[in-house]
Amino acid sequence: MSAPARFDRGHTDDLMSFLAASPSPYHAVANAAERLEKAGFRQVAETDAWDGTHGGKYVLRGGAIVAWYVPEGAAAHTPFRIVGAHTDSPNLRVKPQPDNGAHGWRQVAVEIYGGPLLNSWLDRDLGLAGRLTLRDGSTRLVNVDRPLLRVPQLAIHLDRSVSSEGLKLDKQRHLQPVWGLGNDVRDGDLIAFLEHECGLPAGEVAGWDLMTHSVEPPAYLGRDRELLAGPRMDNLLSVHAGVAALAAVAASGEPLPAIPVLAAFDHEENGSQSDTGADGPLLGSILERSVFARGGGYEDRARAFAATICLSSDTGHAVHPNYAERHDPTHHPRVNGGPILKVNVNNRYATDGSGRAVWAAACEKANVPFQSFVSNNSMPCGTTIGPITAARHGIRTVDIGVAILSMHSARELCGADDPHLLANALGAFLEG
């Protein structure tokens, strides 16, 4: 293979903007939709009848987006090439009765979402973002992107054992952030504050899906700025790359043997079992409706699915310089070494030998190097939407991604070259 594609600073700069503008899954899909609209895609409603016209289309549902591009002349049985990703990240989410406090402090009651590195949320300036549902059923995005909340850590003078025995956090007692002073905690204060922030009348908000986020912006790091530090790379890095790849393929004008698809789901971090998660019916329903809209029937649907391939793109583990013994001794993915192929023989990842061949061909076409990842046999392996997609839809699926450090931290770390390399490989895959 010749020299790999050079680092595209423009792509990584754009990723940084996308991360900063997407503090919640709802913001992420709104930003993805905006980029696709600029590329000529149009939103279709699930409640409307669909037509079989060619071009780019997308569906929004909550914190999920599915977008696809139908080439001109595509037959009803034309297969799909899917890039799968997820929009959610571990964090602290606001409870139904958020107003709390004690000993002169005003606090916000939060619940732990997913599996965050809890210590990474301590002593960090936090904003608040998400979705407000109004009394008429409509929704409004909200983003208080300034220091509003903080989870203060106990001073070492009051916990002398922390240095020798490690930090021990009780999820209920120790992670409730402060956001002001006062003994007169009143129900409705937080939501009233957010109504004012959004210019809404008092009492207009009937429901909410709110979460904390670090307000520190993404930044290049290192002597040569070869690293990227930022929030929610797991897995908005893949969402961003998938949007860029899909838009580029749709704009290329090249004939396509398959229909390129981006499916970015919510709720991967807690099992994917929701109407917007990979274990729900969303993807299958949209693919089937696309087949039927082009005049196909069940036989066309079966033929299309049988030839369909999905790349499940999610972040993975780069070898950690301080904990190399936690990794498999013969598989040490390095940042800026290209995206990784994830393998687990117990099907925690969906990759098999035929899937490896598909991925290798896409990387060769894009002139992108790739690495292999497998877990240390003594360490439990994580999982992704890959096995779920393969099992639920009978679609051949391959697990890939970008190697990072500090996964599930409030602020993660990757190589600055790798996002662009991933996007190039995804584009080559979607081209078929």
Side-chain angles (χ1 to χ4, degrees):
M1 183 181 291
S2 58
R6 294 183 60 190
F7 166 39
D8 184 336
R9 179 59 58 88
H11 178 91
T12 307
D13 286 346
D14 191 61
L15 169 62
M16 294 165 71
S17 298
F18 185 79
L19 293 173
S22 304
S24 78
Y26 314 108
H27 290 83
V29 298
N31 290 319
E34 181 180 3
R35 290 160 185 258
L36 290 171
E37 288 275 355
K38 291 179 180 178
F41 286 67
R42 63 180 178 86
Q43 183 176 0
V44 293
E46 292 184 83
T47 53
D48 291 345
W50 292 4
D51 59 47
T53 56
H54 75 278
K57 306 170 185 181
Y58 69 90
V59 165
L60 289 181
R61 184 193 288 183
I65 182 170
V66 179
W68 65 103
Y69 179 80
V70 180
E72 193 165 1
H77 63 269
T78 299
F80 302 92
R81 285 222 160 191
I82 305 167
V83 170
H86 68 89
T87 61
D88 59 320
S89 300
N91 54 22
L92 310 178
R93 301 204 172 187
V94 175
K95 288 184 174 181
Q97 296 180 0
D99 299 293
N100 199 359
H103 307 291
W105 294 97
R106 283 186 160 183
Q107 294 177 278
V108 174
V110 296
E111 190 173 4
I112 311 303
Y113 179 82
L117 285 173
L118 297 177
N119 61 293
S120 71
W121 291 89
L122 303 178
D123 297 333
R124 189 179 292 276
D125 296 339
L126 304 175
L128 197 62
R131 177 180 67 175
L132 301 174
T133 302
L134 309 186
R135 288 189 298 176
D136 64 2
S138 63
T139 59
R140 178 79 64 88
L141 296 184
V142 60
N143 182 13
V144 184
D145 195 28
R146 63 178 187 272
L148 178 69
L149 306 159
R150 189 179 179 91
V151 182
Q153 188 172 184
L154 186 64
I156 193 170
H157 313 80
L158 304 178
D159 186 11
R160 295 289 185 179
S161 65
V162 68
S163 296
S164 58
E165 299 179 11
L167 181 64
K168 298 176 183 178
L169 294 172
D170 182 284
K171 293 180 180 180
Q172 178 62 41
R173 293 185 294 128
H174 298 152
L175 290 163
Q176 307 306 309
V178 300
W179 76 305
L181 300 174
N183 293 309
D184 57 336
V185 176
R186 297 182 298 271
D187 289 341
D189 277 358
L190 179 67
I191 300 306
F193 165 77
L194 295 175
E195 288 172 334
H196 178 75
E197 286 285 308
C198 294
L200 294 169
E204 186 67 18
V205 172
W208 52 88
D209 302 280
L210 300 167
M211 58 207 71
T212 60
H213 66 275
S214 170
V215 298
E216 185 180 3
Y220 289 108
L221 184 145
R223 183 192 65 183
D224 299 318
R225 292 160 56 89
E226 69 268 49
L227 302 171
L228 175 64
R232 299 176 295 281
M233 290 186 189
D234 179 11
N235 185 33
L236 294 187
L237 188 158
S238 294
V239 175
H240 175 265
V243 170
L246 180 60
V249 169
S252 69
E254 297 294 325
L256 300 173
I259 296 171
V261 179
L262 170 67
F265 301 101
D266 202 352
H267 302 131
E268 189 272 348
E269 297 293 355
N270 63 9
S272 296
Q273 292 185 325
S274 71
D275 69 324
T276 53
D279 203 18
L282 180 61
L283 177 61
S285 173
I286 288 174
L287 298 184
E288 288 179 348
R289 291 185 68 178
S290 176
V291 170
F292 300 155
R294 282 176 279 120
Y298 180 81
E299 187 69 15
D300 297 293
R301 181 260 188 214
R303 292 175 65 188
F305 276 45
T308 291
I309 307 172
C310 174
L311 289 186
S312 166
S313 182
D314 204 345
T315 55
H317 302 296
V319 61
H320 197 301
N322 299 336
Y323 300 91
E325 74 281 359
R326 302 295 182 96
H327 300 265
D328 182 85
T330 60
H331 294 78
H332 281 177
R334 300 189 177 192
V335 299
N336 288 336
I340 58 174
L341 176 73
K342 301 178 178 181
V343 178
N344 178 261
V345 295
N346 294 301
N347 285 339
R348 300 289 286 173
Y349 302 130
T351 307
D352 62 9
S354 64
R356 186 188 192 281
V358 170
W359 174 239
C363 289
E364 182 176 5
K365 180 179 180 181
N367 196 25
V368 167
F370 75 90
Q371 311 172 81
S372 294
F373 170 83
V374 65
S375 289
N376 186 303
N377 287 343
S378 300
M379 306 290 290
C381 179
T383 191
T384 68
I385 66 167
I388 293 171
T389 302
R392 182 170 184 83
H393 305 294
I395 290 173
R396 182 160 50 135
T397 304
V398 188
D399 271 297
I400 56 98
V402 163
I404 69 171
L405 293 182
S406 305
M407 187 185 292
H408 286 199
S409 171
R411 195 168 176 84
E412 297 161 324
L413 184 70
C414 76
D417 295 18
D418 286 330
H420 180 227
L421 296 175
L422 174 65
N424 283 352
L426 295 183
F429 166 75
L430 290 176
E431 288 173 353

